[in-house]
Coordinates of all heavy atoms in Angstrom, one line a residue:
I1 N 4.5 -3.1 -3.9 CA 4.4 -3.7 -5.2 C 4.3 -5.2 -5.2 O 3.5 -5.8 -5.8 CB 5.5 -3.2 -6.1 CG1 5.4 -1.7 -6.4 CG2 5.6 -4.0 -7.4 CD1 6.6 -1.1 -7.1
F2 N 5.2 -5.8 -4.3 CA 5.2 -7.2 -4.2 C 3.8 -7.7 -3.6 O 3.3 -8.7 -4.1 CB 6.3 -7.7 -3.2 CG 6.3 -9.1 -2.8 CD1 6.6 -10.1 -3.7 CD2 5.9 -9.5 -1.5 CE1 6.5 -11.4 -3.4 CE2 5.8 -10.8 -1.2 CZ 6.2 -11.8 -2.1
L3 N 3.3 -7.1 -2.6 CA 2.1 -7.5 -2.0 C 0.9 -7.4 -2.9 O 0.0 -8.3 -3.0 CB 1.8 -6.7 -0.7 CG 2.7 -7.0 0.5 CD1 2.5 -5.9 1.6 CD2 2.5 -8.4 1.1
I4 N 0.9 -6.3 -3.7 CA -0.2 -6.2 -4.7 C -0.1 -7.2 -5.8 O -1.1 -7.6 -6.4 CB -0.2 -4.7 -5.3 CG1 -0.5 -3.7 -4.2 CG2 -1.1 -4.6 -6.5 CD1 -0.3 -2.3 -4.6
S5 N 1.1 -7.6 -6.1 CA 1.3 -8.6 -7.2 C 0.7 -10.0 -6.7 O 0.4 -10.8 -7.6 CB 2.8 -8.8 -7.5 OG 3.5 -9.5 -6.5
L6 N 0.6 -10.2 -5.4 CA 0.1 -11.5 -4.9 C -1.4 -11.5 -5.0 O -2.0 -12.5 -5.3 CB 0.5 -11.7 -3.5 CG 2.0 -11.8 -3.2 CD1 2.3 -12.0 -1.7 CD2 2.6 -13.0 -4.0
K7 N -2.1 -10.3 -4.7 CA -3.5 -10.2 -4.7 C -3.9 -8.7 -4.7 O -3.2 -7.9 -4.2 CB -4.2 -10.9 -3.6 CG -3.8 -10.4 -2.2 CD -4.5 -11.1 -1.1 CE -6.0 -10.6 -1.0 NZ -6.6 -11.0 0.3
D8 N -5.1 -8.4 -5.3 CA -5.5 -7.0 -5.2 C -5.8 -6.7 -3.8 O -6.4 -7.5 -3.0 CB -6.8 -6.9 -6.1 CG -6.5 -7.0 -7.6 OD1 -5.4 -6.7 -8.0 OD2 -7.5 -7.3 -8.3
R9 N -5.5 -5.4 -3.5 CA -5.8 -4.9 -2.1 C -6.3 -3.5 -2.2 O -6.0 -2.8 -3.1 CB -4.5 -5.0 -1.3 CG -3.9 -6.3 -1.1 CD -2.5 -6.3 -0.4 NE -1.8 -7.6 -0.6 CZ -1.9 -8.6 0.3 NH1 -2.7 -8.5 1.3 NH2 -1.2 -9.7 0.1
T10 N -7.0 -3.1 -1.1 CA -7.5 -1.8 -1.0 C -6.3 -1.0 -0.3 O -5.4 -1.5 0.2 CB -8.7 -1.7 -0.1 OG1 -8.4 -2.1 1.2 CG2 -9.8 -2.6 -0.6
K11 N -6.5 0.4 -0.3 CA -5.5 1.2 0.4 C -5.4 0.8 1.8 O -4.3 0.7 2.4 CB -5.8 2.7 0.2 CG -5.6 3.2 -1.2 CD -5.6 4.8 -1.2 CE -7.1 5.2 -0.9 NZ -7.2 6.7 -1.0
K12 N -6.5 0.6 2.5 CA -6.5 0.3 3.9 C -5.8 -1.0 4.2 O -5.0 -1.2 5.1 CB -7.9 0.3 4.4 CG -8.0 0.0 5.9 CD -9.5 -0.1 6.4 CE -9.6 -0.4 7.9 NZ -11.0 -0.5 8.3
E13 N -6.1 -2.0 3.3 CA -5.5 -3.3 3.5 C -4.0 -3.3 3.3 O -3.3 -3.9 4.1 CB -6.1 -4.3 2.5 CG -7.6 -4.7 2.8 CD -8.2 -5.6 1.8 OE1 -7.8 -5.5 0.6 OE2 -9.1 -6.4 2.1
L14 N -3.6 -2.6 2.3 CA -2.1 -2.5 2.1 C -1.4 -1.7 3.2 O -0.4 -2.1 3.6 CB -1.9 -1.8 0.7 CG -0.4 -1.7 0.3 CD1 0.2 -3.1 0.2 CD2 -0.2 -1.0 -1.0
Y15 N -2.1 -0.6 3.7 CA -1.5 0.1 4.8 C -1.3 -0.8 6.0 O -0.2 -0.7 6.6 CB -2.4 1.3 5.1 CG -1.8 2.3 6.1 CD1 -1.0 3.3 5.7 CD2 -1.9 2.1 7.5 CE1 -0.4 4.2 6.6 CE2 -1.3 2.9 8.4 CZ -0.6 4.0 7.9 OH 0.0 4.9 8.8
K16 N -2.3 -1.6 6.3 CA -2.2 -2.5 7.5 C -1.0 -3.5 7.3 O -0.3 -3.8 8.2 CB -3.5 -3.2 7.7 CG -4.6 -2.4 8.3 CD -5.8 -3.2 8.7 CE -6.8 -2.4 9.5 NZ -7.9 -3.3 9.9
K17 N -0.9 -4.0 6.1 CA 0.2 -4.9 5.8 C 1.6 -4.3 5.9 O 2.5 -4.9 6.5 CB 0.0 -5.5 4.4 CG -1.0 -6.6 4.3 CD -0.4 -7.9 4.9 CE -1.4 -9.1 4.8 NZ -0.9 -10.3 5.5
L18 N 1.7 -3.1 5.4 CA 3.0 -2.4 5.5 C 3.3 -2.0 6.9 O 4.5 -1.9 7.3 CB 3.0 -1.2 4.6 CG 2.9 -1.5 3.1 CD1 2.9 -0.2 2.2 CD2 4.2 -2.3 2.6
E19 N 2.3 -1.7 7.7 CA 2.5 -1.3 9.1 C 3.1 -2.5 9.9 O 3.8 -2.3 10.9 CB 1.1 -1.0 9.8 CG 0.9 0.5 9.8 CD -0.3 0.8 10.7 OE1 -1.3 0.0 10.8 OE2 -0.3 1.8 11.4
E20 N 2.9 -3.7 9.4 CA 3.5 -4.9 10.1 C 5.0 -5.0 9.8 O 5.7 -5.7 10.6 CB 2.8 -6.2 9.6 CG 1.3 -6.3 9.9 CD 0.6 -7.4 9.2 OE1 1.3 -8.2 8.6 OE2 -0.6 -7.6 9.3
K21 N 5.4 -4.3 8.7 CA 6.8 -4.4 8.3 C 7.7 -3.2 8.6 O 8.9 -3.3 8.8 CB 6.9 -4.7 6.8 CG 6.1 -5.9 6.3 CD 6.7 -7.2 6.8 CE 5.9 -8.4 6.3 NZ 6.4 -9.7 6.8
Y22 N 7.0 -2.0 8.7 CA 7.7 -0.8 8.9 C 7.1 0.1 9.9 O 5.8 0.1 10.1 CB 7.8 0.0 7.5 CG 8.3 -0.9 6.4 CD1 7.4 -1.5 5.6 CD2 9.6 -1.2 6.3 CE1 7.8 -2.4 4.6 CE2 10.1 -2.0 5.3 CZ 9.2 -2.6 4.4 OH 9.6 -3.5 3.4
Q23 N 7.9 0.9 10.7 CA 7.4 1.7 11.7 C 7.3 3.2 11.3 O 6.7 4.0 12.0 CB 8.3 1.6 13.0 CG 8.2 0.3 13.6 CD 9.0 0.2 14.9 OE1 9.5 1.2 15.4 NE2 9.2 -1.0 15.4
N24 N 7.8 3.5 10.1 CA 7.8 4.9 9.6 C 6.5 5.2 8.9 O 6.4 4.9 7.7 CB 9.0 5.1 8.7 CG 9.2 6.6 8.3 OD1 8.3 7.3 8.2 ND2 10.5 6.9 8.2
N25 N 5.5 5.7 9.6 CA 4.2 5.9 9.0 C 4.2 6.9 7.8 O 3.5 6.7 6.9 CB 3.2 6.4 10.1 CG 2.8 5.3 11.1 OD1 2.8 4.1 10.7 ND2 2.6 5.7 12.3
N26 N 5.0 7.9 7.9 CA 5.1 8.9 6.8 C 5.6 8.2 5.5 O 5.2 8.5 4.4 CB 6.0 10.0 7.2 CG 5.3 11.0 8.2 OD1 4.1 11.1 8.2 ND2 6.1 11.7 9.0
A27 N 6.6 7.3 5.7 CA 7.2 6.6 4.6 C 6.1 5.6 4.0 O 6.0 5.5 2.7 CB 8.4 5.7 5.0
I28 N 5.3 5.0 4.8 CA 4.2 4.1 4.3 C 3.2 5.0 3.5 O 2.8 4.6 2.4 CB 3.5 3.4 5.5 CG1 4.5 2.5 6.2 CG2 2.3 2.7 5.0 CD1 3.9 1.8 7.4
K29 N 2.8 6.1 4.1 CA 1.8 6.9 3.4 C 2.3 7.4 2.0 O 1.6 7.5 1.0 CB 1.4 8.1 4.3 CG 0.6 7.8 5.5 CD 0.4 9.0 6.4 CE -0.4 8.6 7.6 NZ -0.6 9.7 8.5
K30 N 3.6 7.8 2.0 CA 4.3 8.3 0.8 C 4.3 7.1 -0.2 O 4.1 7.4 -1.4 CB 5.7 8.8 1.1 CG 6.4 9.4 -0.1 CD 7.8 9.9 0.4 CE 8.6 10.4 -0.8 NZ 9.9 10.8 -0.4
A31 N 4.6 5.9 0.2 CA 4.7 4.8 -0.7 C 3.3 4.5 -1.3 O 3.2 4.2 -2.5 CB 5.2 3.5 0.0
I32 N 2.3 4.5 -0.5 CA 0.9 4.3 -0.9 C 0.5 5.3 -1.9 O -0.1 5.0 -3.0 CB -0.1 4.2 0.3 CG1 0.1 2.9 1.0 CG2 -1.5 4.3 -0.2 CD1 -0.7 2.7 2.2
K33 N 0.8 6.6 -1.7 CA 0.5 7.7 -2.6 C 1.2 7.4 -3.9 O 0.6 7.6 -5.0 CB 0.9 9.0 -2.0 CG 0.5 10.2 -2.9 CD 0.9 11.5 -2.2 CE 0.5 12.7 -3.1 NZ 0.9 14.0 -2.5
K34 N 2.4 7.0 -3.9 CA 3.2 6.7 -5.1 C 2.5 5.5 -5.9 O 2.4 5.6 -7.1 CB 4.6 6.4 -4.8 CG 5.5 6.3 -6.0 CD 5.6 7.6 -6.8 CE 6.6 7.5 -7.9 NZ 6.7 8.8 -8.7
L35 N 2.1 4.5 -5.2 CA 1.5 3.4 -5.8 C 0.2 3.7 -6.5 O -0.2 3.2 -7.6 CB 1.2 2.3 -4.8 CG 2.5 1.5 -4.3 CD1 2.2 0.7 -3.1 CD2 3.1 0.7 -5.4
E36 N -0.5 4.7 -5.9 CA -1.8 5.2 -6.5 C -1.4 6.0 -7.8 O -2.1 5.8 -8.8 CB -2.5 6.2 -5.6 CG -3.2 5.5 -4.4 CD -4.1 6.4 -3.6 OE1 -3.5 7.1 -2.8 OE2 -5.3 6.5 -3.8
E37 N -0.4 6.8 -7.7 CA 0.0 7.6 -8.9 C 0.5 6.6 -10.1 O 0.2 6.9 -11.2 CB 1.2 8.5 -8.5 CG 0.8 9.6 -7.6 CD 2.0 10.4 -7.1 OE1 3.1 10.1 -7.5 OE2 1.8 11.4 -6.4
L38 N 1.1 5.5 -9.7 CA 1.6 4.6 -10.7 C 0.5 3.7 -11.2 O 0.7 2.9 -12.2 CB 2.7 3.7 -10.1 CG 4.0 4.5 -9.8 CD1 5.0 3.6 -9.0 CD2 4.7 5.0 -11.0
G39 N -0.7 3.7 -10.6 CA -1.8 2.9 -11.0 C -1.8 1.5 -10.4 O -2.7 0.7 -10.8
Y40 N -1.0 1.2 -9.5 CA -1.0 -0.1 -8.8 C -2.1 -0.2 -7.8 O -2.6 -1.3 -7.5 CB 0.4 -0.3 -8.1 CG 1.5 -0.6 -8.9 CD1 2.5 0.3 -9.2 CD2 1.7 -1.9 -9.4 CE1 3.6 0.0 -10.0 CE2 2.8 -2.2 -10.2 CZ 3.8 -1.3 -10.5 OH 4.8 -1.6 -11.3
L41 N -2.6 0.9 -7.3 CA -3.5 0.9 -6.2 C -4.7 1.8 -6.6 O -4.5 3.0 -6.8 CB -2.8 1.4 -4.9 CG -3.4 1.1 -3.6 CD1 -3.5 -0.5 -3.4 CD2 -2.5 1.6 -2.5
N42 N -5.9 1.3 -6.6 CA -7.0 2.1 -7.0 C -8.3 1.5 -6.4 O -8.8 0.4 -6.8 CB -7.2 2.1 -8.6 CG -8.2 3.1 -9.1 OD1 -9.4 3.0 -8.6 ND2 -7.9 3.9 -10.0
D43 N -8.9 2.2 -5.4 CA -10.0 1.6 -4.7 C -11.3 1.5 -5.6 O -12.1 0.7 -5.4 CB -10.3 2.5 -3.5 CG -9.5 2.1 -2.3 OD1 -8.7 1.2 -2.4 OD2 -9.6 2.8 -1.3
L44 N -11.4 2.4 -6.6 CA -12.5 2.3 -7.5 C -12.4 1.1 -8.4 O -13.4 0.3 -8.5 CB -12.6 3.6 -8.4 CG -13.7 3.6 -9.5 CD1 -15.0 3.5 -8.9 CD2 -13.6 4.9 -10.4
D45 N -11.2 0.8 -9.0 CA -11.0 -0.4 -9.8 C -11.2 -1.6 -8.9 O -11.8 -2.6 -9.4 CB -9.6 -0.4 -10.4 CG -9.4 0.6 -11.5 OD1 -10.5 1.1 -12.0 OD2 -8.3 0.9 -11.9

């Protein structure tokens, strides 16, 4: 949420950024899915 507030990002870009901070890939994927559901992340938009 913090990273998206700084600038718009694609799913891939956000995943790469989160990978730099966390090693739990399943947690990252789950977080990205939640951000999509909440409308924070949308590759079409």
Side-chain angles (χ1 to χ4, degrees):
I1 292 172
F2 171 72
L3 290 170
I4 292 170
S5 73
L6 297 179
K7 60 175 284 190
D8 288 339
R9 300 174 194 271
T10 66
K11 284 193 291 184
K12 181 181 178 181
E13 288 175 332
L14 184 61
Y15 188 90
K16 283 187 172 182
K17 279 289 183 183
L18 293 177
E19 262 192 325
E20 295 172 4
K21 306 292 183 182
Y22 309 98
Q23 292 183 11
N24 190 328
N25 288 329
N26 287 334
I28 294 173
K29 290 175 183 176
K30 186 179 176 183
I32 285 177
K33 185 178 179 181
K34 188 65 176 179
L35 289 169
E36 285 186 283
E37 291 172 358
L38 294 171
Y40 284 101
L41 203 56
N42 187 309
D43 279 356
L44 177 59
D45 287 347

